[in-house]
Structure formats: structure tokens, C-alpha cells
Amino acid sequence: MSFMYAITIPPIVRSLTQLRLILEKATDYAEAKKIDPSVLVNARLFPDMYPLKRQVQIASDVSKGAVSRLAGQEPPKFEDVENSFPELIERIDKTLAHIHSFTAEQIDGTESNTILLPRHDRTSTFTSLTYVTDFVLPNVYFHVTTTYAILRHNGLEIGKKDYLGDIG
């Protein structure tokens, strides 16, 4: 493993894998507590924040966009139609499959490449390295953490190990 691949792909894969496990726990929790799962899927921490389902969709979009752009490819478009835990888990699985379709050779050595990121009202320009360190990883961590916080706030008994997974 080399530099760009190593700082990008393993942390994203770990975060999405842990997010998937947390959503599986949420599925079981909703069933055990007789909570309509759509209540949790649409839950927010505050009214002006995105609901859980959108948090997962954004984590997916940023992740698949990162690996695609680093490899010089256009990211695939996933329609934002998920309204259940199984659908959100399936989206994570599709995202992980997309990420795993790239090799280290496609990512390594790209740190000084230019990344143009279309945003709502402008296009941001990054080097590949600053794209990963200043945009991709902070966004993935933010949206995974927010999903965690929404579920924890709604009573799901999860902790730091659920977020981090097994570390060494």
C-alpha cells in the first residue's frame, strides 16, 4: 500500500463498514422496541439538519466520488431513493463494491493532480491530497458521526467501539 491509497481508501472503507453495522443494529433495535423504522430513518438531531437517511446518502456520495475522482473517473450517480434501513445498507454495499473496484495503482501518485469538485453554487479546486484531507475525510466522518448521534439520541445502545470498529 502506498501513500494516497493508504490515507484514503482504508479509512473510508472502515467508516462505511462500521456505518453498515450500526444500521444493522438500528434495524434490530427498531424491531425489538416496536419502533416504526421510518421514524429512525427520518430522525434528525435538529430541525434544520438533514435526516439520518440523507446523512448516509451523503457519506456514500462523498466516498464514491473520492475514489472515482482520484482515479480520474466520473463518479457514478446513485439516486437518493432510500427510505428504509435495508435500502440504506444496500447503498453502502454498492458504495463499498464501487470503492473495491479500484486498485492502489489507480490512486497512488495522484496527490498533486487537480480535482474540480462541482458544488451547489460553484466549483471548488483542490489538489488530490487537499481534496482527501480537507474535504473527503472530514465529510465522511461528519456524516457517519451524525448518523451515529441520531441513533444514539434515539436510544440505540452503541458506543465508540461501534464507530471505530476493532482497532489493532
Side-chain angles (χ1 to χ4, degrees):
M1 226 175 352
S2 201
F3 176 63
M4 282 300 286
Y5 185 91
I7 68 164
T8 307
I9 306 310
I12 289 173
V13 168
R14 174 181 290 278
S15 291
L16 292 179
T17 300
Q18 292 312 120
L19 178 59
R20 187 187 194 291
L21 293 171
I22 289 168
L23 294 177
E24 287 176 350
K25 286 186 175 192
T27 302
D28 295 342
Y29 170 74
E31 185 178 319
K33 296 292 186 181
K34 307 280 190 261
I35 298 170
D36 178 352
S38 69
V39 170
L40 298 175
V41 168
N42 291 294
R44 304 167 186 257
L45 287 177
F46 197 78
D48 69 351
M49 292 180 74
Y50 286 128
L52 180 145
K53 67 182 176 184
R54 188 72 186 121
Q55 302 293 339
V56 175
Q57 292 163 345
I58 294 171
S60 162
D61 288 344
V62 171
S63 298
K64 67 184 170 61
V67 68
S68 298
R69 289 185 183 96
L70 291 175
Q73 297 182 15
E74 190 66 28
K77 174 79 173 116
F78 294 175
E79 296 301 321
D80 297 328
V81 297
E82 298 83 11
N83 286 302
S84 68
F85 287 124
E87 290 170 345
L88 290 168
I89 290 167
E90 182 180 331
R91 183 179 179 126
I92 292 171
D93 290 343
K94 279 181 17 183
T95 304
L96 287 168
H98 178 70
I99 291 168
H100 289 305
S101 73
F102 291 86
T103 65
E105 292 75 29
Q106 291 174 281
I107 308 298
D108 284 335
T110 64
E111 54 274 358
S112 61
N113 290 1
T114 299
I115 300 288
L116 299 175
L117 181 65
R119 315 243 336 248
H120 303 289
D121 56 346
R122 68 186 193 283
T123 297
S124 296
T125 304
F126 299 93
T127 65
S128 291
L129 181 58
T130 58
Y131 172 59
V132 170
T133 61
D134 297 355
F135 180 82
V136 172
L137 293 176
N139 268 282
V140 171
Y141 296 149
F142 176 85
H143 292 287
V144 171
T145 300
T146 303
T147 301
Y148 170 100
I150 290 168
L151 290 169
R152 186 69 190 104
H153 177 75
N154 280 279
L156 180 61
E157 292 185 18
I158 48 177
K160 192 173 183 179
K161 185 175 181 181
D162 295 291
Y163 178 85
L164 292 176
D166 267 338
I167 305 289

